[in-house]
Amino acid sequence: MGDAALGKLMLQLRSLYGGDHEQALLQLAREIGAERTAALIEQARLPRLCCPRCTHNGFYRHGKANNLQRYRCRRCGRTFNCLTNTPLARLRLKDRWLAYFDSLRDPACTVHRAADQVGVHANTSFRWRHRMLDWVKYDRPRTLQGIVEVDETFLLESEKGNKQLVHRRARKRGGVARRRGISAEQVNIVVARDRTGGTVDFVAGRGALKAASLDTHLLPKLERGVLLVTDGNPVYAHFACKAGIRHRGLNLSQGIRVEGDLHIQNVNGYHSRFKEWLRHFHGVATRYLNNYLGWRWAIDMRRIDDATRFLRAALGVFTT
Ligand SMILES: [Zn+2]
């Protein structure tokens, strides 16, 4: 906040002495909160800011709006700010964002409880949750190396929150699959983890695992010379053979869980933690599953230890 704005507020405070001074103080606190958030946003984004239309990195200051500095591109004239084209663009009430990021660090804090704590409507709380998580999911290691454990787990497909149920009638919350075994009602989540703790996870589609999704999501993440360790699902053997990757499938059906250094206990541990953590949410919509995977990953890797780091991650600025 500039000196002039602060002076104006102080004058307002004095003139509102009486029943309204509390309101004026609250307004002052909100203004300071919004300015602090705006400063953190600028700090995170300004070093890499460029014109959203032509990507030119020459621009000049062009007024201020909603606590944020506006800029104008020197080449094409487009105006923008540090939130333009980010998931947080046009979200209001910046004074409450850091408190909301704090609430997101506690999965037991439901959408409704976070709304009450922070002082926003429940619909706003839900919208904020997913906007704030939208880019957090892109924080992943570039590659995995050495011994890489891979395994898949399944979640019952859910259209929670979807008004138009295209695929089938709504199932009650926490329901069970109608068919036994793996079917298209189940969403396949693959986790790959190396021995340095580097972890990649992705939604591999509905039903049984297909080699094509490993080609798309896993192959680009594997360094040369990795040794893939799996549960012996033939899809992994097929994928590894085609890609020229060394592979060891454990014969779990014969009770062989460990062969020397080779096991998949780290990924299975990751699956368990993820599923246990998901229970807080009483079922999550499949279309948001990637957000939840990214959120869980960021917690597991200690990437969002405080509200400021969380805000930076939400803007795609990750700690190295
Ligand atoms: Zn431009």
Side-chain angles (χ1 to χ4, degrees):
M1 183 187 299
D3 287 350
L6 189 61
K8 204 171 134 195
L9 265 164
M10 292 311 289
L11 271 175
Q12 251 184 328
L13 267 177
R14 282 192 204 113
S15 67
L16 288 172
Y17 206 79
D20 281 340
H21 80 288
E22 220 171 89
Q23 193 57 37
L25 267 174
L26 190 64
Q27 189 55 39
L28 179 65
R30 283 181 176 163
E31 193 59 32
I32 291 168
E35 286 289 321
R36 182 172 169 236
T37 309
L40 291 170
I41 292 165
E42 302 249 339
Q43 226 175 60
R45 294 272 299 166
L46 201 53
R48 282 182 269 178
L49 193 65
C50 64
C51 171
R53 184 192 283 154
C54 74
T55 71
H56 189 56
N57 60 7
F59 46 81
Y60 55 89
R61 288 162 172 259
H62 187 72
K64 222 176 162 187
N66 302 318
N67 305 95
L68 283 177
Q69 178 66 50
R70 285 197 72 75
Y71 302 97
R72 185 186 276 278
C73 175
R74 288 188 188 279
R75 187 153 76 187
C76 75
R78 161 87 193 255
T79 59
F80 54 93
N81 65 31
C82 282
L83 290 182
T84 304
N85 285 2
T86 74
L88 305 187
R90 288 186 292 281
L91 292 188
R92 306 181 74 83
L93 307 172
K94 289 189 189 64
D95 56 300
R96 295 166 219 190
W97 289 12
L98 290 176
Y100 199 83
F101 277 114
D102 249 337
S103 80
L104 283 178
R105 294 177 49 244
D106 172 14
C109 187
T110 61
V111 163
H112 285 273
R113 201 193 303 168
D116 288 345
Q117 276 177 10
V118 175
V120 295
H121 192 271
N123 291 346
T124 305
S125 176
F126 184 79
R127 191 167 65 249
W128 281 15
R129 173 186 278 186
H130 288 291
R131 292 271 205 102
M132 289 176 177
L133 291 173
D134 197 25
W135 280 6
V136 170
K137 62 175 172 272
Y138 298 121
D139 187 13
R140 291 290 197 287
R142 211 180 292 270
T143 56
L144 303 176
Q145 52 181 291
I147 295 172
V148 177
E149 303 175 24
V150 192
D151 199 12
E152 74 272 26
T153 190
F154 293 90
L155 282 178
L156 208 49
E157 187 268 341
S158 162
E159 302 193 48
K160 182 182 174 184
N162 244 6
K163 288 202 179 95
Q164 310 236 313
L165 296 181
V166 183
H167 301 293
R168 52 164 183 74
R169 278 172 45 226
R171 186 176 43 229
K172 276 188 191 161
R173 200 158 84 174
V176 291
R178 278 177 297 209
R179 269 172 282 174
R180 287 165 67 91
I182 298 160
S183 75
E185 274 188 274
Q186 284 166 317
V187 183
N188 194 327
I189 297 165
V190 172
V191 176
R193 190 171 175 115
D194 70 19
R195 294 291 163 82
T196 69
T199 305
V200 170
D201 48 3
F202 53 92
V203 176
R206 289 190 166 90
L209 183 63
K210 292 166 194 74
S213 73
L214 296 175
D215 288 341
T216 308
H217 300 286
L218 184 60
L219 188 57
K221 294 286 185 180
L222 298 178
E223 271 189 20
R224 285 168 69 92
V226 295
L227 171 61
L228 220 57
V229 184
T230 71
D231 63 357
N233 179 339
V235 173
Y236 293 114
H238 176 69
F239 157 78
C241 177
K242 208 174 105 199
I245 293 168
R246 289 187 301 148
H247 170 242
R248 181 77 198 151
L250 301 171
N251 199 342
L252 294 191
S253 56
Q254 298 290 310
I256 299 167
R257 305 197 151 267
V258 181
E259 276 184 22
D261 270 353
L262 308 181
H263 56 79
I264 52 169
Q265 287 162 359
N266 294 316
V267 280
N268 289 158
Y270 194 91
H271 287 157
S272 307
R273 287 197 299 282
F274 179 62
K275 285 188 161 177
E276 182 63 32
W277 176 79
L278 271 192
R279 288 157 62 125
H280 290 294
F281 305 103
H282 308 290
V284 302
T286 302
R287 65 192 168 126
Y288 291 121
L289 201 49
N290 274 314
N291 281 3
Y292 287 94
L293 279 173
W295 187 3
R296 178 62 226 177
W297 184 94
I299 291 171
D300 218 69
M301 301 293 154
R302 307 184 62 84
R303 307 285 279 183
I304 47 174
D305 279 352
D306 61 57
T308 306
R309 284 183 83 188
F310 208 149
L311 168 67
R312 290 173 69 84
L315 293 170
V317 180
F318 307 122
T319 314
T320 49

